[in-house]
Amino acid sequence: MTEQPPPAAPRPAEYRIEDLAHLSGATVRTIRAYQDRGLLPRPERRGRANVYGDAHLARLRQIADLLDRGYTLASIKELLQAWDAGLGLGGVLGLVAEIDGPWTDEKASRISRAELDAAFGGTSDESAVAEAVELGVLERLPDRDDEFLVPSPQELAVAAELHSAGVPLLAISGHLREVRGQVEHIAARFLDFTTEHVFQPFLDHPPTEAEAAEAAALVRRLRPLAQQTIDAELARAMRTLATRYLRQHLNEALPEARRTATAMGPEPQGAVGAKAPKAEPAAGVHQPWPAPGQIADPRTATGPATSGPATTAPETTTPGATASEAVVLPTETVEAVRALVGAEHTAAFITAAARREVQARTLDALASGNLPRTPRSDPAEGSQRSQG
């Protein structure tokens, strides 16, 4: 038998510059600009024609991919030079892909203009839509005026909920701008931190293929840590500050509640006796807490200590009030408080117990949806609650 000659090796592909532009998606002008910048190897010269090959086509596709990832032409040139020097562009591109990957599981969605208007009260607001587009909350779709892309449906849902609660749209967008600036600062600090302590060994020299792969694996591990840290710290801060804000606003509202309760007139006898005539405090003196001794010793009050159900307490200064009042307290209440805290702290204890009762009832009223109208209560009941 006659041996067959081995098949000839396939001839490398050859392209004219117009063919290369068509296959790569670049323009002829762009290809020549890349050659001038050193991003693309020079073609082979054959007579009066320039011939390009598959290596040129692959390089143009690499450049286009890096441009889509946000790289500048200068940084792309450095990466390609590293690839040409044998340092391994594949690992670097894998690291780039890991960093450019999604940092959230949230999926983008679409919303029609009618759905958008309905979510924000049914009224069309062109200025608010333009503001949302500028902030990136909405993205316009090509050739579609009645539909938008929503990169973060959660963010749009938060804005709709705030608006339904009465927050103006301009206030929401202003708040988002402020929050975004603060969050970007936190993200920059997290990146500085991880760069210093984790990624610095990979950044002081062009990474090898193995080093780039190791860095990409670290990015995958550390990716959720930033959000987990912020979630935990935001929950802690909201819990602490929300309680503080509530107390502050209640304390600001309580003086008005006290004045309202006083204007309602005396309560029936039994819990608290009828109000005694007012006495003006000393000029220029304001005592947010009654000083020791402001409530008189019941044994020195009018009548024997055990002869009646109540004892007249001397005048005490109520915070926020303009004058002191004398009230009638049961003798056994004053005696019980004195036995518990001592004579020098009796007035302060009864005042604190009454204040605590007012705050408790105000919180109950707020929780039930009623206005914080503060009912007057028996200080003795407040004292017993404090002791409990």
Side-chain angles (χ1 to χ4, degrees):
M1 294 179 61
T2 304
E3 292 185 3
Q4 298 292 330
R11 188 174 181 179
E14 296 180 352
Y15 310 105
R16 297 177 304 161
I17 191 170
E18 292 82 7
D19 299 329
L20 186 64
H22 174 72
L23 292 171
S24 66
T27 64
V28 170
R29 182 178 180 181
T30 298
I31 293 174
R32 287 175 175 156
Y34 288 168
Q35 289 176 181
D36 294 339
R37 287 174 171 264
L39 293 167
L40 191 68
R42 292 286 178 180
E44 183 181 347
R45 187 77 176 178
R46 292 189 186 169
R48 300 179 63 180
N50 291 326
V51 178
Y52 297 85
D54 286 334
H56 294 90
L57 181 59
R59 178 58 56 90
L60 286 173
R61 288 172 175 169
Q62 287 177 340
I63 294 172
D65 180 62
L66 292 171
L67 286 172
D68 288 341
R69 296 175 186 273
Y71 280 81
T72 64
L73 289 176
S75 59
I76 290 174
K77 183 177 180 180
E78 293 178 358
L79 288 173
L80 294 176
Q81 287 174 344
W83 169 261
D84 292 338
L87 296 178
L89 184 59
V92 174
L93 292 180
L95 175 59
V96 171
E98 192 65 46
I99 293 174
D100 285 347
W103 287 75
T104 176
D105 295 333
E106 189 177 15
K107 303 296 182 183
S109 66
R110 294 190 177 195
I111 188 171
S112 68
R113 183 57 187 266
E115 292 171 336
L116 182 66
D117 291 343
F120 288 87
T123 303
S124 181
D125 189 331
E126 292 298 332
S127 62
V129 171
E131 185 85 357
V133 170
E134 181 181 349
L135 288 168
V137 177
L138 299 174
E139 293 183 7
R140 297 189 185 277
L141 295 172
D143 303 324
R144 295 295 300 270
D145 294 333
D146 60 342
E147 192 174 18
F148 297 91
L149 179 69
V150 185
S152 173
Q154 292 181 1
E155 191 169 52
L156 185 64
V158 169
E161 191 67 26
L162 288 173
H163 184 259
S164 68
V167 183
L169 290 175
L170 290 180
I172 295 174
S173 60
H175 176 70
L176 177 57
R177 290 181 187 277
E178 180 181 357
V179 169
R180 182 171 292 178
Q182 294 170 345
V183 170
E184 287 177 355
H185 173 73
I186 294 172
R189 291 291 300 118
F190 189 83
L191 290 173
D192 290 342
F193 173 77
T194 53
T195 297
E196 177 183 358
H197 296 285
V198 179
F199 294 105
Q200 192 59 50
F202 302 98
L203 301 177
D204 56 3
H205 63 280
T208 64
E209 189 90 10
E211 289 174 332
E214 183 181 353
L218 283 171
V219 171
R220 283 192 296 273
R221 285 175 51 195
L222 299 180
R223 184 191 300 274
L225 299 187
Q227 183 170 351
Q228 291 171 4
T229 301
I230 296 305
D231 286 347
E233 283 301 306
L234 180 61
R236 180 201 60 79
M238 288 298 296
R239 182 174 60 251
T240 301
L241 295 180
T243 302
R244 187 180 303 167
Y245 272 51
L246 178 60
R247 289 176 178 170
Q248 174 185 343
H249 289 295
L250 284 179
N251 286 337
E252 292 174 353
L254 283 176
E256 179 64 29
R258 292 192 190 98
R259 286 193 290 271
T260 302
T262 301
M264 292 172 61
E267 296 288 337
Q269 291 293 330
V272 178
K275 293 187 294 182
K278 292 183 178 180
E280 295 294 331
V285 177
H286 174 69
Q287 293 177 299
W289 293 88
Q294 279 188 309
I295 294 183
D297 188 335
R299 291 170 294 186
T300 62
T302 304
T306 58
S307 61
T311 299
T312 301
E315 302 155 3
T316 59
T317 302
T318 302
T322 57
S324 301
E325 284 187 34
V327 296
V328 177
L329 299 176
T331 301
E332 59 271 18
T333 298
V334 179
E335 291 284 5
V337 172
R338 179 183 290 107
L340 180 66
V341 299
E344 68 276 15
H345 300 303
T346 298
F349 184 91
I350 292 177
T351 303
R355 176 178 293 177
R356 179 173 177 177
E357 179 68 17
V358 168
Q359 291 177 336
R361 296 198 181 195
T362 303
L363 285 171
D364 291 342
L366 287 173
S368 62
N370 297 323
L371 293 176
R373 177 181 177 274
T374 307
R376 299 175 63 172
S377 60
D378 187 353
E381 180 183 347
S383 301
Q384 293 169 2
R385 179 176 297 188
S386 300
Q387 296 176 44

